[in-house]
Amino acid sequence: MTHAFENADFQERLHVINDAETGVTGIIAIHSTAIGPAAGGCRLWHYDTQTDLVTDAIRLARGMSYKNAMAGLPFGGGKAVLQRPEGDFDRAALFRVFGEAVAALKGAYITAEDVGTTIADMRAVRRQAPYVAGLEVAEGMAGGDPSPWTALGVFESMKAAAQDVLKFDLAGATVAVQGVGNVGGRLCRLLRDAGANLIVADVDKARAAALAAELGAKHVGIDEILVADADILAPCALGGVLNADSIPDLRVRLVCGGANNQLATEADGQALVDRGILYAPDYVVNAGGIINVSAEYLGETSDQVADRVGQIAGRLLDVFRRSTEEQVPPGVMADRLAQHLIASARRRQAA
Ligand code: NAD
């Protein structure tokens, strides 16, 4: 066995898409199939350079490996990134070419929607290959909008971190929610029902104002939410919000939200520890969505999704316990646990 196979950051396969006839370009990055087929969505985005596109695909594929492993799913990690053409383009041709690429991988990669892609696009892929999730949902079966499951996993994680680690109750606590879209809006409703006080902000001011009026929440500007006087911050909008600029001014004890890639750098995880702020690793707590999408692919029921989502909070507490024991930030601990799961599966595969 080579060192590369021991290294969980090893990228198994990069499948280049470069169709001369249509001009469609992109890449399918397969980080790992050790635990199962590589599952992760398809992003359609404009990149200035080919290097930027490949770098993003590799980073996102590794992130999916870690998220799927930590969610206990029988899937590895991968991601497709397609270059969004300038101006008008033939969307049908683009997703036909992408579907052919997915088919060529013979099930090693399973795709779904991501930033810039829709259910209609995935239907087009489905005409070329069966390795697609995120389509229609049948009664009692898993599938459909993943956001309610994501919000539920974040809520249960927040409750566990507050009660079991920081020893305070969500009832009467104040939670600042950045971004009240699909995930953030639902999270706010769960928090209101649990008796928490809410402070909300969104670039879409009308959306935040309407939700604040409905739930009796305080509505602040997007520059104020990160410095709000609250017990908990729930980032539910963008990546990179926990950075060298924002961390010194945070006034919360706990950060737990649905957004992906909340830490700008690994060093920011240590900066939060130094400030005595507990950080719930994003991909551990926001796995409800991928749990729902993968259950749809596996033909499972919504009860099975509920069961898996119900395990997220316990997994988070395990990450916190080990992070204290090993004296590393929770984000580093989660990465190590994910890497261990992937490396163990690789060893079993190679044996
Ligand atoms: P969404 O687009 O429905 O909501 C995002 C909201 O954030 C929007 O209302 C937008 O106006 C707002 N926003 C954007 N920039 C902002 C800023 N600077 N300050 C305040 N608000 C801002 O998206 P979503 O599906 O709710 O996802 C939210 C985050 O959670 C994303 O990072 C997404 O990648 C992540 N996530 C979502 C799911 C899911 O199931 N939808 C699963 C895992 C992770």
Side-chain angles (χ1 to χ4, degrees):
M1 190 184 300
T2 66
H3 178 70
F5 276 90
E6 285 289 338
N7 177 359
D9 275 342
F10 175 68
Q11 199 83 18
E12 269 179 26
R13 189 166 176 182
L14 296 175
H15 182 89
V16 176
I17 302 168
N18 195 354
D19 187 67
E21 195 186 315
T22 57
V24 173
T25 59
I27 198 152
I28 299 174
I30 296 183
H31 175 264
S32 170
T33 56
I35 295 178
C42 171
R43 183 165 291 197
L44 178 64
W45 198 248
H46 174 78
Y47 292 85
D48 287 339
T49 69
Q50 195 75 356
T51 309
D52 290 349
L53 184 148
V54 174
T55 308
D56 208 26
I58 288 174
R59 179 182 66 86
L60 292 165
R62 184 183 56 222
M64 287 312 302
S65 265
Y66 290 7
K67 186 186 280 205
N68 293 341
M70 285 300 281
L73 295 170
F75 291 109
K79 200 89 180 182
V81 176
L82 301 175
Q83 177 70 279
R84 190 187 170 90
E86 307 272 3
D88 289 341
F89 61 95
D90 183 348
R91 205 164 176 110
L94 195 148
F95 284 97
R96 178 178 48 74
V97 170
F98 174 59
E100 286 165 2
V102 172
L105 290 168
K106 299 188 168 69
Y109 167 68
I110 298 162
T111 196
E113 297 91 346
D114 192 63
V115 177
T117 55
T118 64
I119 287 191
D121 298 332
M122 291 307 123
R123 282 197 203 111
V125 176
R126 185 67 187 253
R127 284 193 276 278
Q128 309 300 324
Y131 316 113
V132 189
L135 300 164
E136 286 77 14
V137 54
E139 184 66 28
M141 300 304 285
D145 183 4
S147 313
W149 294 110
T150 305
L152 182 64
V154 172
F155 171 75
E156 295 290 349
S157 298
M158 196 184 273
K159 194 162 79 177
Q163 282 178 358
D164 295 15
V165 184
L166 299 175
K167 311 292 177 200
F168 70 90
D169 207 54
L170 281 187
T174 300
V175 186
V177 182
Q178 182 194 40
V180 290
N182 290 319
V183 175
R186 284 183 176 81
L187 177 65
C188 284
R189 290 192 170 82
L190 292 168
L191 286 165
R192 191 269 318 264
D193 292 347
N197 304 307
L198 292 166
I199 306 175
V200 298
D202 199 296
V203 279
D204 184 340
K205 283 188 190 159
R207 175 183 270 179
L211 191 79
E214 181 198 328
L215 302 182
K218 187 175 169 192
H219 174 204
V220 300
I222 55 166
D223 296 334
E224 296 162 76
I225 195 74
L226 292 176
V227 294
D229 188 6
D231 299 290
I232 304 169
L233 171 68
C236 294
L238 316 160
V241 288
L242 303 172
N243 55 46
D245 285 337
S246 65
I247 291 172
D249 296 331
L250 294 179
R251 297 165 76 186
V252 295
R253 291 185 267 173
L254 170 66
V255 178
C256 180
N260 281 315
N261 305 317
Q262 292 169 31
L263 293 172
T265 67
E266 196 176 295
D268 295 312
Q270 184 59 48
L272 287 167
V273 172
D274 295 342
R275 283 223 47 219
I277 298 169
L278 187 63
Y279 168 66
D282 45 22
Y283 67 82
V284 177
V285 303
N286 74 13
I290 188 71
I291 287 173
N292 184 53
V293 169
S294 60
E296 176 194 324
Y297 187 78
L298 294 170
E300 293 181 347
T301 63
S302 24
D303 286 349
Q304 287 170 290
V305 177
D307 189 48
R308 278 217 180 97
V309 173
Q311 294 170 30
I312 292 176
R315 206 166 280 124
L316 174 69
L317 293 179
D318 186 49
V319 170
F320 285 149
R321 186 178 53 73
R322 289 171 190 255
S323 115
T324 306
E325 276 168 17
E326 298 194 21
Q327 304 209 337
V328 293
V332 172
M333 194 65 241
D335 285 358
R336 282 191 192 169
L337 287 169
Q339 286 162 0
H340 176 73
L341 289 167
I342 296 163
S344 305
R346 254 187 212 133
R347 274 195 295 276
R348 281 196 300 277
Q349 207 178 38

